[in-house]
Amino acid sequence: GYVQIKFSEFVKDLLIKAQKDINKYLQNQNNSIDFANNDFLFEEINKQQFYNKVRQLIENIFEDKQVGNYIPAGRSLLTIFSEQLGDINFQKLDYLMRIFADKIKYLKKFFNADLETLLEDRKKLSNENIDFKIVNFSIKKINAIIKGKYRYENGEERIYINNKDYVKVLFSSSGQQEAIWILLLIYYFILYNKKTFTIIEEPEAHLYPEAQKEIIELISLLSNSNDNQVIVTTHSPYILSSLNNLIYAKNIKNNENIKEVEKIVDKKIWLDSDKINAYLIKNGQAENILDFELKLIKAEKIDSASEQINSIYDKLFDLE
C-alpha cells in the first residue's frame, strides 16, 4: 500500500520557493569559504541562520512549531557510560536512543552550573520575558527529586549534596540515573520557553512513590507551559493517581473553595480534563480508561495486582 498526500496550490508554491532557496544556498556556499581568512566560522553562523529560516518556513507551512522530543526507557544505560559517551558506537544503538544520547551529549555542557545560576545567567543575557514563578517551581521539584543539585564539571556529571560534597551520577542511585535527564530536559524546555511535543517512557522507573508524584507534577508543569503536548507511558498506578489529583483540582468548580484548592495543589500544575486522554494497551488493543462522567483516569485498571493481593489476604483472614 501507499499514502497519497495532496497539497493546496498555496502550499505547493511555498514548498517550491523553499526548495529554490535551499538549492541556491547550497550552490553558493561551496564557493564562498576562504579558509585562509577563517571565513568558515562566519559561514557556519550563516548556515545556522539559513537552516533556522528554512525550519521556520516549514513550521509555518504545516502549522507545527513544536519540537519533537523522545525520552526512552533504559536511560540509566547512558548514565553508566556518561564519562565515555565519545567511545560508544552510536550505530549500535537504536535510532531513538541514539537521538536521545546525542541530545544529552550536546546539552551536558549547558549545565555547568546549578539551576539557579543558569536562571540568573538567562536573565542577564536575554531580553525575553521569563516566568520566574514557573522556572523556580521547576527548580524546587528537580532538586527535591534528585536530593541535591546537578552540575556538569570537569567532564563529570555530579549531584552536589552541599556546596562542596558531591556524588558522581555514575555512582548515584538507579532512580536518580533514570530521572536526571527527564528533569534536566524539562528544565531546559521551560527555561528557554520551548514549544515541544514530548514523549516520556516510564518516568517512574526506580523512583519511590513520593518521587513519582513529584515528577508527574513537573511533567504537568511542562504540559501547561507554552501549551506543550506530552505523552507518558507508565506501569505505575501512582503516576495515574497523581495525575487524577491534578485533574480533580482543576475540576472543582466551587469558586469559594478555589483558594483552598490552591493551598493543596499549586494552580500551575492543574490539568484540564478536556485535554487529557488515557489508554490501556492490552492484547494488542487500546482501551480508553478515562471516566467521562467523573472526568478522571481509571487508575485501578493498571493496579489489578493490588486487588489480587488484597483478595488473598481477605481469604486468609477469613480462615483465621
Side-chain angles (χ1 to χ4, degrees):
Y2 63 93
V3 176
Q4 186 176 16
I5 301 174
K6 293 184 178 181
F7 295 111
S8 67
E9 291 302 318
F10 173 73
V11 172
K12 285 181 182 178
D13 289 342
L14 288 176
L15 290 173
I16 291 171
K17 181 181 182 303
Q19 183 62 54
K20 288 181 178 178
D21 288 344
I22 293 170
N23 289 340
K24 182 178 179 181
Y25 173 80
L26 293 176
Q27 289 172 0
N28 291 337
Q29 88 167 114
N30 290 333
N31 300 320
S32 64
I33 304 175
D34 182 356
F35 288 95
N37 294 319
N38 291 326
D39 284 347
F40 64 95
L41 296 176
F42 180 72
E43 181 64 24
E44 283 299 314
I45 296 174
N46 286 340
K47 185 192 298 183
Q48 190 60 50
Q49 291 175 342
F50 175 77
Y51 286 161
N52 289 338
K53 287 180 181 178
V54 172
R55 187 181 297 109
Q56 185 177 18
L57 175 62
I58 294 173
E59 288 172 351
N60 290 337
I61 291 172
F62 293 101
E63 298 182 353
D64 182 11
K65 296 185 178 181
Q66 292 180 326
V67 177
N69 295 282
Y70 182 80
I71 304 177
R75 296 170 290 274
S76 59
L77 171 66
L78 295 181
T79 304
I80 292 172
F81 297 107
S82 61
E83 296 178 23
Q84 297 109 7
L85 271 179
D87 298 328
I88 292 178
N89 185 348
F90 280 77
Q91 300 307 315
K92 296 290 185 179
L93 299 174
D94 66 76
Y95 177 75
L96 293 174
M97 183 64 83
R98 191 161 70 243
I99 295 298
F100 180 64
D102 280 337
K103 187 163 294 184
I104 290 176
K105 188 176 181 181
Y106 172 76
L107 284 177
K108 275 198 303 185
K109 296 175 183 178
F110 168 78
F111 291 96
N112 60 358
D114 60 42
L115 304 184
E116 293 87 351
T117 302
L118 294 176
L119 173 57
E120 289 302 313
D121 290 345
R122 173 75 171 149
K123 179 181 176 182
K124 294 173 184 176
L125 299 174
S126 174
N127 294 323
E128 294 181 19
N129 291 328
I130 300 172
D131 192 326
F132 289 97
K133 289 183 179 180
I134 289 179
V135 179
N136 283 318
F137 185 92
S138 70
I139 291 173
K140 183 179 178 181
K141 290 292 176 186
I142 291 169
N143 291 341
I145 294 168
I146 65 172
K147 309 296 184 185
K149 296 186 177 184
Y150 175 92
R151 289 210 297 269
Y152 181 70
E153 291 183 342
N154 298 324
E156 296 178 343
E157 292 187 276
R158 300 172 176 178
I159 296 175
Y160 276 83
I161 303 166
N162 51 49
N163 290 334
K164 185 176 71 172
D165 300 316
Y166 67 87
V167 175
K168 290 184 182 181
V169 174
L170 182 63
F171 302 123
S172 64
S173 72
S174 55
Q176 289 170 312
Q177 292 179 15
E178 286 282 349
I180 193 73
W181 276 101
I182 296 177
L183 308 177
L184 295 179
L185 284 171
I186 289 177
Y187 179 77
Y188 179 78
F189 297 152
I190 290 175
L191 180 62
Y192 282 88
N193 201 28
K194 298 287 186 181
K195 193 170 182 64
T196 72
F197 173 74
T198 302
I199 299 173
I200 306 174
E201 283 195 301
E202 301 174 17
E204 74 275 10
H206 301 286
L207 292 177
Y208 283 108
E210 293 87 349
Q212 293 185 37
K213 167 189 169 293
E214 298 283 357
I215 202 169
I216 209 64
E217 290 179 355
L218 185 64
I219 292 170
S220 299
L221 183 71
L222 173 67
S223 175
N224 289 339
S225 303
N226 213 6
D227 200 25
N228 291 319
Q229 290 180 284
V230 182
I231 292 177
V232 172
T233 67
T234 183
H235 295 93
S236 171
Y238 298 116
I239 292 290
L240 298 188
S241 297
S242 297
L243 284 170
N244 274 340
N245 284 342
L246 306 185
I247 297 169
Y248 195 24
K250 174 75 172 179
N251 285 346
I252 294 177
K253 303 298 182 183
N254 190 339
N255 291 330
E256 295 178 2
N257 289 336
I258 285 181
K259 289 185 178 180
E260 294 303 314
V261 173
E262 290 181 11
K263 292 178 182 178
I264 301 169
V265 179
D266 196 296
K267 191 174 182 179
K268 291 187 284 296
I269 55 175
W270 291 1
L271 291 176
D272 188 342
S273 58
D274 292 333
K275 297 181 179 179
I276 297 287
N277 260 314
Y279 296 90
L280 173 67
I281 308 299
K282 190 174 182 179
N283 299 325
Q285 300 293 320
E287 174 190 352
N288 193 311
I289 58 171
L290 197 65
D291 188 315
F292 292 99
E293 184 177 350
L294 297 176
K295 294 187 175 181
L296 294 172
I297 301 168
K298 301 173 185 176
E300 71 276 4
K301 285 285 187 176
I302 65 169
D303 195 22
S304 58
S306 292
E307 184 179 343
Q308 294 173 21
I309 292 167
N310 290 334
S311 175
I312 292 171
Y313 179 86
D314 290 340
K315 289 176 181 178
L316 293 172
F317 183 81
D318 290 341
L319 290 175
E320 187 181 36

